[in-house]
Amino acid sequence: MKNIAILCSGGDVSGMNPALKHFVEYSLQKLLTPFFIYDGYEGLIDNNIKEVAYKDVAGIINRGGTKIGSSRSQRFMEKSYRNIAKKNLDMLNINMLIVLGGDGSFRGLDVFYKEHGVKFCGIPSTIDNDISLTEYCLGVDSALNIIKTSIDSIRDTASSFKRAFVIETMGRDCGFLALVSALTSGAELCLIPEKEYNLKSLEESFKNQIKNGRRYFIAIVAEGIKDDSQTIANWFEQKIGMQARVSVLGHIQRGGNPTIYDRLMAYRFVNNAIDALLEGKKDGVICYTKDGFKYKNIDEVVNTPFVLDPELLKFLKNI
Ligand code: F6P
């Protein structure tokens, strides 16, 4: 039997638990012995690695977060700790690794592979949806649905009070969550880091809208824009003449029950990752595009600059 391990690194996403469940099921089906590495690269260094069976993944498919923990490991950036990690894997005869994480996690893995030759396959998992060459990262659909529900609730109170609401989404330097949420919630304004904006140029139009009967504004802003959300709210109060409030959605966006789409994508990503390793692939990431799932070499993924889908960006002209 060959040994295979999985770990989660970086921000957790809803969809990791379904992925862990299917990792165990599909590994056993392929006659592999599955192991969990707890708390990300920290657990790899601290030898927090355990063989697992079906019973370990019972009842987790509907849960957000990750049963095996995650971390943003500073120690894994140091060679001496990566050497310890390699020794821990050797002791358990593990030579195949699956990592659920984002761009930063994959960069660390790339270095680890080049130093020690441990075969790995990454599964893009971040609500930011900011990994090059894949159109979808696990957890994005669940996050978008939470944002949608939050905006729908805030709209009720915005309309009752004649208020502007500035709703801040996560995404680090990427505006994907904000843009898609603004579009699909019919927001009046969307500000993202990928697009320069000039609030002054909007003032006349916004004031006219109020004259014509508009009772509220919903503005969706990404956390990575140049201004903080309170500055945008102040602009509504001082320049547009409408009382404004800020709602920072924060970590609520990362948790919660995974959507059907994320559960299914978790299964599909895991199948592709395990198959790639069994076919002899050594250092890559499973990417998803409209042509389906494709294995891409890690260098290609981490060295291709990320760009937000230009087709989506075109919609910004209207918001
Ligand atoms: O990368 C995922 C993410 O949720 C970002 O959107 C956000 O900026 C960051 O993680 C928050 O990190 P932490 O949970 O460490 O505060």
Side-chain angles (χ1 to χ4, degrees):
M1 292 257 287
K2 287 184 184 165
N3 296 345
I4 185 167
I6 193 165
L7 65 82
C8 301
S9 175
D12 55 290
V13 303
S14 288
M16 281 178 165
N17 277 329
L20 295 174
K21 174 177 160 61
H22 193 57
F23 163 78
V24 172
E25 291 164 351
Y26 196 58
S27 297
L28 293 172
Q29 195 181 321
K30 291 284 175 181
L31 303 181
L32 302 169
T33 305
F35 287 78
F36 280 166
I37 299 171
Y38 292 84
D39 301 329
Y41 294 132
E42 289 291 295
L44 190 53
I45 294 165
D46 295 334
N47 205 14
N48 195 354
I49 308 172
K50 292 193 182 69
E51 187 181 334
V52 280
Y54 284 121
K55 67 174 172 38
D56 296 297
V57 288
I60 65 168
I61 197 166
N62 57 329
R63 287 175 44 200
T66 159
K67 182 188 162 87
I68 63 173
S70 184
S71 62
R72 302 191 197 277
S73 175
Q74 289 301 316
R75 290 192 296 166
F76 197 67
M77 291 178 186
E78 291 177 34
K79 190 171 182 351
S80 57
Y81 286 110
R82 290 195 297 272
N83 291 343
I84 296 173
K86 165 68 172 152
K87 279 195 194 126
N88 292 338
L89 289 176
D90 284 349
M91 276 192 304
L92 293 167
N93 264 323
I94 296 169
N95 60 1
M96 286 185 280
L97 206 54
I98 292 187
V99 171
L100 302 171
D103 197 56
S105 312
F106 295 161
R107 283 174 201 274
L109 254 190
D110 187 25
V111 176
F112 191 52
Y113 171 76
K114 285 179 177 134
E115 284 170 358
H116 295 293
V118 177
K119 287 196 288 180
F120 74 87
C121 190
I123 294 181
S125 310
T126 165
I127 63 165
D128 303 343
N129 213 27
D130 62 348
I131 299 182
S132 299
L133 308 182
T134 188
E135 285 168 23
Y136 191 75
C137 298
L138 195 61
V140 170
D141 189 60
S142 302
L144 284 173
N145 275 286
I146 289 191
I147 299 170
K148 178 205 70 173
T149 307
S150 311
I151 298 173
D152 287 350
S153 304
I154 289 172
R155 182 185 296 281
D156 293 343
T157 194
S159 59
S160 309
F161 264 82
K162 288 194 182 176
R163 272 181 181 168
F165 265 87
V166 179
I167 303 171
E168 181 183 307
T169 61
M170 276 189 168
R172 223 178 269 279
D173 301 322
C174 177
F176 181 87
L177 288 178
L179 177 52
V180 173
S181 301
L183 268 179
T184 53
S185 301
E188 283 69 46
L189 178 64
C190 175
L191 303 176
I192 59 173
E194 288 84 351
K195 192 87 184 160
E196 280 289 314
Y197 58 86
N198 173 5
L199 293 176
K200 185 135 195 57
S201 68
L202 301 171
E203 286 171 9
E204 204 185 314
S205 144
F206 276 38
K207 282 193 276 197
N208 281 336
Q209 289 182 52
I210 295 174
K211 270 190 212 140
N212 292 333
R214 172 169 287 290
R215 292 175 56 85
Y216 66 92
F217 287 98
I218 299 285
I220 311 294
V221 306
E223 66 176 349
I225 60 167
K226 62 180 194 252
D227 293 308
D228 64 24
S229 298
Q230 190 55 52
T231 304
I232 310 296
N234 293 345
W235 173 78
F236 270 109
E237 297 210 334
Q238 289 155 17
K239 303 291 179 187
I240 308 301
M242 186 177 272
Q243 196 184 42
R245 291 287 186 270
V246 172
S247 249
V248 178
L249 298 184
H251 288 81
I252 192 175
Q253 295 160 94
R254 275 214 325 239
N257 175 274
T259 59
I260 294 295
Y261 188 72
D262 270 326
R263 295 180 196 199
L264 199 54
M265 286 303 274
Y267 276 42
R268 298 170 81 194
F269 269 122
V270 165
N271 269 18
N272 278 276
I274 293 180
D275 288 346
L277 289 170
L278 290 178
E279 281 162 18
K281 303 273 188 352
K282 296 186 165 89
D283 56 338
V285 173
I286 300 297
C287 293
Y288 181 74
T289 67
K290 41 189 150 316
D291 301 326
F293 291 89
K294 287 223 167 63
Y295 173 91
K296 299 269 181 196
N297 183 271
I298 187 79
D299 288 324
E300 203 186 338
V301 175
V302 296
N303 293 323
T304 304
F306 173 78
V307 282
L308 196 51
D309 181 355
E311 191 197 346
L312 273 181
L313 271 174
K314 277 193 213 156
F315 284 106
L316 252 193
K317 285 196 189 118
N318 305 326
I319 33 176

